[in-house]
Amino acid sequence: MTHRPAVFAALLGLTRAGSAIGDFWIQSDFCARVKGASDDHPVTYQDPVTEEKTTHGTADGRKACLQHCLTYTATQAIVAGVGARALGIRVHPAAAAAALAVSFGTHYAADRRVPGTGLLENIATRTGKGGFYKLADFGMNGAFHLDSAWHHGWETVAAVIATTKATTQ
């Protein structure tokens, strides 16, 4: 018998852990700094080892964001897959693929933080949270918190999707 709420809770916890690992341990410094670059708002990156400075625009920003989202989603897949197996949860392959696609797509949309045109900045501005989004004082970073909340919400949707046809041993 499948206990869907328990499977949901397990998969949400596993994907949340995979998300944190993917975002903070796996993501390269280059991707973190360049993924929001555009031709109108170029990013100058200084390599921490060579101290060489390079400037990046839209194409590099998209590539960096894509690379980050691929490693982020792969990390989630590995953590959730290994964890589910250890817990005796069998996730239907199509449900797993759909959940990971939701995670990948929404992560890319949020992480292409081009100043003035980024999805999260626009949502924040339209919902009266623009000031919070731009907050970078008192030890706070509003953009980071709104980004995290966005990801947590979509990871919850992805975990619900992943429970479709899941079984337990």
Side-chain angles (χ1 to χ4, degrees):
M1 174 185 278
T2 300
H3 300 284
R4 194 166 183 208
V7 170
F8 163 77
L11 291 176
L12 180 59
L14 290 166
T15 57
R16 180 82 288 275
S19 172
I21 294 165
D23 250 350
F24 304 121
W25 285 100
I26 303 299
Q27 179 175 206
S28 71
D29 182 60
F30 178 83
C31 287
R33 294 178 188 273
V34 175
K35 65 187 177 186
S38 71
D39 292 341
D40 292 335
H41 296 91
V43 171
T44 299
Y45 176 76
Q46 182 173 353
D47 187 292
V49 176
T50 66
E51 297 186 7
E52 177 187 358
K53 290 183 180 181
T54 52
T55 302
H56 304 275
T58 301
D60 290 338
R62 288 177 179 154
K63 287 178 196 172
C65 194
L66 178 62
Q67 180 180 353
H68 163 56
C69 290
L70 288 170
T71 60
Y72 168 92
T73 305
T75 303
Q76 277 189 315
I78 291 166
V79 171
V82 170
R85 185 169 181 87
L87 294 171
I89 299 169
R90 292 185 185 152
V91 179
H92 192 277
L100 290 168
V102 166
S103 183
F104 176 88
T106 59
H107 202 88
Y108 184 92
D111 276 21
R112 272 294 286 151
R113 287 192 217 164
V114 177
T117 63
L119 176 67
L120 289 184
E121 183 178 358
N122 284 331
I123 292 171
T125 300
R126 290 180 184 169
T127 59
K129 296 288 183 188
F132 183 69
Y133 182 87
K134 293 176 182 174
L135 178 66
D137 206 352
F138 310 106
M140 291 283 294
N141 181 312
F144 173 81
H145 286 291
L146 291 174
D147 176 89
S148 292
W150 169 271
H151 294 321
H152 292 175
W154 283 108
E155 287 160 6
T156 302
V157 171
V160 169
I161 292 168
T163 64
T164 305
K165 297 184 182 180
T167 61
T168 57
Q169 295 178 356

